[in-house]
Amino acid sequence: MSSFAPTSSDSGSAGAQYEKYDAPDAEFFPGIGKIEFKPDGGPADTLVYKQYNPSETVQGRTMEEWLRFSVCFWHTFRGTGADPFGFPTLNRPWDDGSNTIANAKRRLRAGFEFFSKLGVKYWTFHDRDIAPEGNTLEESNKYLDEIVDLAEELQKKTGVKLLWATCNLFAHPRYMNGASTNPDAHVFAYAAAQVKKGLEVAKRLGAENFVFWGGREGYHSILNTNVKAEVTHMAKFFRMASDYKKKIGFTGTFLIEPKPKEPTKHQYDYDAMTVIGFLKSFDLDKEFKLNIEPNHTTLAGHSYEHDCVVASAMGMLGSIDSNTGSPDLGWDTDQFPMDYKNTSLVMKVVLDQGGIQPGGLNFDCKVRRESTELRDMFIAHIGAMDAFARGLKIAARVASDGTIPKAVQDRYSSYSTGIGARIESGEANFEELEKYIIENGEPQRVSGEQEHYESMLNYFM
Ligand code: XLS
Ligand code: NI
Ligand code: NI
């Protein structure tokens, strides 16, 4: 696929206007300094944090430690604003649009300046976001190595770390029928070779996690699909990845990111409970956790926080792609989350499970195609970070006040004594429970008090 190969020499730059950005000390965001915490900022001060104070302690940990914010490379440094109906709108002055190594390096330098000025400690990427794909696997790996050299240097220089890496197994035409679920074993092998390299790179860059999102692991038509074969192949792929991880001594957590649809009509990793069921069916649940993206959760027909709640309840919540959809659109719009109620409910889950580390809150989000200024990139992240910082504080108040947790605990108190305790301990059986009902008759009706709980939450907002 020649269109995936670099279009000019490895070190070449497409024109004089881009050359100044090739210098190692080039500044990409002039006029924007390190973003500061300014709690008394006014409504239009959207280039300062008003809620996020990294060193402030909440429930025994700093905000930075609880929130573990991360910027994704794909949307923020590869997004062009193009949509299915329109051409690119976002002009990044350092990006000449070429598929060259030189352009890739400029983007990466711009990225690390952005992460540093924003004050986030983590970033995430797909292999093909950061380096061009070549004509052969060897060529692609060579380009990737060259960019990873620079990434390693920039990580060292800035202290920004890699929250997770992933492989793009969905954009290239070879993956049109899926990667590990492709009916063609040749494609399965290609995906395996690509992930092998991805894991080596992740290890080299000290990634704390590694993500698998099954973009095209699903089907469009059941008529041409053998679901059992595909799902089994996917499990074999994960097993091989896990074996290779151990072999090379990569210690990051493996995460699967559920999503019900888009680009395929039906994706096997439909939602949190589906993925947990899949992992348990194939005896992979000790080796994987979940990366939950709320926009995917809402696409699956659940409320915003649902998959975080479910994954956490099953001990499987590893990380969060903290974005949001647009409830009235119903596709993966990857917006920056700005709604305090959503962030509070998610942070309540994080707080209750004792933190999200070694995962984090990764902004798998893109600015709207109409938000064309460089400062919009900052404003978007700052707004979302503030929303999560506020959500953390609200969740902490809910916990320390204790009224809501106590009310929930009381709601289940029938399981701590008598027949409930026997159910809980596993001693009770159907005959005993039948006898209990014959002796005790109809249960009393107990109010679920939903409105009472909603009002209590609003008290803390
Ligand atoms: C797409 C996914 C993707 C993953 C990483 O909808 O969110 O961006 O996070 O492949
Ligand atoms: Ni995602
Ligand atoms: Ni997504």
Side-chain angles (χ1 to χ4, degrees):
M1 289 305 303
S2 57
S3 61
F4 285 87
T7 49
S8 71
S9 77
D10 280 6
S11 57
S13 181
Q17 75 182 104
Y18 301 102
E19 253 159 39
K20 66 172 178 178
Y21 294 109
D22 291 333
D25 59 346
E27 193 178 19
F28 296 83
F29 300 93
I32 297 181
K34 175 110 177 113
I35 305 301
E36 282 167 26
F37 175 58
K38 196 175 161 220
D40 55 351
D45 290 331
T46 49
L47 270 170
V48 296
Y49 296 115
K50 296 192 278 288
Q51 304 287 338
Y52 180 55
N53 182 12
S55 59
E56 187 179 323
T57 302
V58 177
Q59 302 252 329
R61 232 179 256 178
T62 65
M63 283 197 176
E64 186 172 274
E65 288 167 334
W66 280 116
L67 295 161
R68 297 173 59 82
F69 289 128
S70 160
V71 171
C72 85
F73 202 77
W74 53 102
H75 287 312
T76 302
F77 290 93
R78 300 306 309 275
T80 63
D83 74 6
F85 305 92
F87 299 124
T89 56
L90 306 177
N91 167 39
R92 307 306 186 209
W94 57 84
D95 194 324
D96 65 15
S98 74
N99 213 13
T100 56
I101 294 284
N103 204 27
K105 288 184 174 171
R106 288 194 295 272
R107 291 185 193 119
L108 202 62
R109 286 208 180 87
F112 276 81
E113 182 183 320
F114 182 78
F115 312 150
S116 302
K117 286 185 167 173
L118 198 59
V120 295
K121 286 282 173 297
Y122 290 97
W123 70 305
T124 54
F125 65 81
H126 301 83
D127 48 0
R128 304 301 180 237
D129 306 331
I130 58 168
E133 177 145 13
N135 290 313
T136 62
L137 181 72
E138 297 93 309
E139 218 181 312
S140 301
N141 288 352
K142 186 181 129 241
Y143 297 146
L144 189 55
D145 283 336
E146 189 171 347
I147 296 300
V148 168
D149 286 342
L150 178 62
E152 201 175 22
E153 180 191 319
L154 293 169
Q155 285 193 172
K156 214 168 275 169
K157 192 171 135 199
T158 59
V160 173
K161 295 187 281 186
L162 184 55
L163 185 68
W164 51 260
T166 186
C167 288
N168 185 325
L169 304 176
F170 45 88
H172 193 283
R174 84 172 70 86
Y175 295 125
M176 68 180 184
N177 289 305
S180 71
T181 63
N182 200 296
D184 182 357
H186 197 137
V187 180
F188 181 106
Y190 208 110
Q194 194 179 328
V195 169
K196 175 179 178 288
K197 179 69 179 177
L199 290 172
E200 291 160 10
V201 162
K203 182 183 177 204
R204 191 174 152 203
L205 292 176
E208 299 191 15
N209 305 271
F210 191 90
V211 164
F212 296 87
W213 169 59
R216 294 187 195 273
E217 316 299 12
Y219 62 80
H220 286 297
S221 170
I222 203 62
L223 298 176
N224 66 4
T225 304
N226 180 340
V227 170
K228 186 168 183 202
E230 294 201 353
V231 172
T232 308
H233 295 159
M234 188 162 79
K236 288 192 193 304
F237 190 91
F238 287 139
R239 172 65 58 205
M240 288 182 210
S242 179
D243 288 347
Y244 192 65
K245 168 187 161 171
K246 287 174 199 148
K247 185 159 188 194
I248 64 172
F250 171 57
T251 54
T253 307
F254 271 2
L255 302 169
I256 295 182
E257 183 175 325
K259 185 174 184 181
K261 56 189 170 191
E262 272 185 48
T264 55
K265 177 180 86 169
H266 174 85
Q267 278 170 214
Y268 296 128
D269 298 334
Y270 195 91
D271 64 0
M273 208 50 149
T274 307
V275 174
I276 293 167
F278 163 82
L279 290 171
K280 292 210 185 262
S281 299
F282 290 95
D283 202 21
L284 288 161
D285 55 303
K286 300 285 175 296
E287 265 123 298
F288 287 80
K289 285 191 168 185
L290 270 51
N291 179 39
I292 297 298
E293 179 168 317
N295 198 163
H296 298 174
T297 308
T298 51
L299 272 180
H302 307 303
S303 53
Y304 188 87
E305 69 284 357
H306 173 87
D307 269 3
C308 287
V309 173
V310 167
S312 179
M314 303 296 286
M316 296 290 272
L317 179 62
S319 199
I320 300 173
D321 267 5
S322 43
N323 65 3
T324 188
S326 196
D328 38 11
L329 274 178
W331 71 77
D332 198 11
T333 55
D334 292 324
Q335 287 171 230
F336 283 87
M338 299 284 181
D339 184 311
Y340 287 170
K341 185 161 172 231
N342 285 341
T343 60
S344 302
L345 291 173
V346 167
M347 287 318 296
K348 185 174 179 305
V349 175
V350 170
L351 220 72
D352 287 350
Q353 71 163 35
I356 193 75
Q357 66 285 347
L361 300 182
N362 174 53
F363 290 115
D364 187 353
C365 309
K366 55 183 178 222
V367 290
R368 301 301 84 196
R369 77 192 295 266
E370 304 83 3
S371 302
T372 51
E373 297 293 329
L374 291 187
R375 68 169 180 276
D376 292 321
M377 295 166 67
F378 280 92
I379 291 169
H381 284 86
I382 294 166
M385 289 163 76
D386 259 359
F388 269 99
R390 177 67 174 257
L392 170 66
K393 287 188 268 187
I394 292 169
R397 283 178 60 207
V398 169
S400 63
D401 167 84
T403 309
I404 295 178
K406 171 83 171 42
V408 175
Q409 203 188 342
D410 288 350
R411 196 162 178 240
Y412 293 86
S413 59
S414 64
Y415 283 89
S416 39
T417 55
I419 195 70
R422 287 186 57 75
I423 294 171
E424 203 76 271
S425 67
E427 288 161 285
N429 59 27
F430 271 14
E431 293 98 313
E432 179 184 347
L433 294 172
E434 182 191 51
K435 185 163 169 276
Y436 179 85
I437 292 305
I438 290 167
E439 283 165 9
N440 292 277
E442 191 66 26
Q444 267 180 18
R445 214 168 287 176
V446 182
S447 174
E449 302 183 298
Q450 181 177 324
E451 302 80 358
H452 175 60
Y453 281 86
E454 287 167 341
S455 301
M456 287 198 284
L457 181 65
N458 279 348
Y459 173 88
F460 295 101
M461 295 299 299

